[in-house]
Amino acid sequence: HRVREGWELGINTINIRKASFEWSSFINFSHTRLRWEERFVNTFLRGWQNEHDLVSSYYVFKTDGILDGVKAIPESQPANARHPGSPIFVDRNGDNVIDTMDVFRINPDAKLTIGFGNTFRYKGFDLGLMFYGQVGGKATTPAAAWSTAADFITGGQNGVRELNEIWTTVNPTGIRPGVAYNESALALPVGTDIGLQSTDFVRCRNITLGYTIQSGHLTRYVRNLRVYMDVQNAFIITDFKYVDPEVSVASVKGGPAPYPMARIFSFGLNANF
């Protein structure tokens, strides 16, 4: 049994209203979360899970940089991750062993979702701007699998430009593990936070510019005629790497292939008879 909780606040305003000019705005804030209220009696919970965790929780080992052959290797570092290019695992409880007690739970859901927009009207012209975004969310990068050093070196798949982020001796500032690192060989119960990043963004969802014609010559046939042009998904502001933080992920030839949101231009005509 799962429970969805949340709240929403919306404000609509008319900022200016004159005979030839009007400006109105809206803004809304919302927050929701989906958590477990009750589970099946035979559900087996791991040591790092709680009965009422959020449904979307990530369970990961956190990392703190890359071994570069110069830094001291922590005593807690797993045996198969002690060579240069391996991520440094965070020993959460300080017992010098990386085990289930070092698993972190991360809530990937946005802490706040925001939508806001403005509508301007001047004589026959109208302009509408609509934005939305979120803050406080986390997600793995769907395309990160295409920047795995080992797969690229073995020729198992093509790569993306983020392969330049892989640690090597000639790229000591690389933030992604080197070619010798193989996470699956560590036999850890959960994955790492490598590739986990902020999904904060602001998207311009819609821009619409129109003009309403109310000519005396037209009123014999139509009451008014409006021509407009519209842009959907005009732009996005985000630090999310590789792809859009909102894209869905499909599998193509065994790998994730997130398809970017399309930018759509429209031109139209509205007539009232």
Side-chain angles (χ1 to χ4, degrees), residues 13-194:
T13 63
I14 298 177
N15 307 310
I16 298 175
R17 176 177 283 172
K18 295 184 178 181
S20 60
F21 179 71
E22 182 177 312
W23 170 28
S24 61
S25 303
F26 77 87
I27 185 169
N28 61 64
F29 305 90
S30 64
H31 170 74
T32 62
R33 66 176 190 170
L34 181 63
R35 65 174 178 83
W36 290 104
E37 176 66 19
E38 184 179 4
R39 310 203 195 197
F40 289 113
V41 293
N42 60 346
T43 299
F44 176 71
L45 297 179
R46 304 283 184 175
W48 55 85
Q49 294 176 301
N50 293 313
E51 183 178 357
H52 301 296
D53 282 350
L54 298 180
V55 174
S56 57
S57 295
Y58 285 148
Y59 302 96
V60 299
F61 288 103
K62 286 190 175 182
T63 59
D64 183 22
I66 302 286
L67 289 175
D68 58 5
V70 178
K71 297 175 184 175
I73 301 175
E75 185 177 340
S76 59
Q77 192 74 2
N80 291 333
R82 303 179 72 86
H83 45 268
S86 297
I88 300 172
F89 286 76
V90 174
D91 183 11
R92 184 178 189 180
N93 60 359
D95 65 354
N96 292 325
V97 177
I98 297 299
D99 56 19
T100 57
M101 300 302 294
D102 300 304
V103 175
F104 288 79
R105 184 184 72 83
I106 295 176
N107 174 21
D109 296 334
K111 292 181 173 61
L112 187 66
T113 301
I114 306 170
F116 57 98
N118 291 277
T119 300
F120 303 91
R121 291 186 175 86
Y122 176 70
K123 295 184 177 180
F125 290 95
D126 62 89
L127 173 64
L129 305 170
M130 191 275 181
F131 298 83
Y132 70 94
Q134 66 180 34
V135 294
K138 297 284 185 180
T140 54
T141 303
W146 297 94
S147 62
T148 301
D151 289 340
F152 181 72
I153 293 297
T154 59
Q157 63 183 35
N158 291 325
V160 292
R161 67 175 181 269
E162 281 72 18
L163 284 165
N164 294 326
E165 297 177 352
I166 292 171
W167 183 94
T168 66
T169 54
V170 295
N171 186 32
T173 59
I175 60 174
R176 297 186 59 78
V179 66
Y181 175 68
N182 185 353
E183 189 170 304
S184 61
L186 304 182
L188 296 173
V190 298
T192 67
D193 65 348
I194 296 171

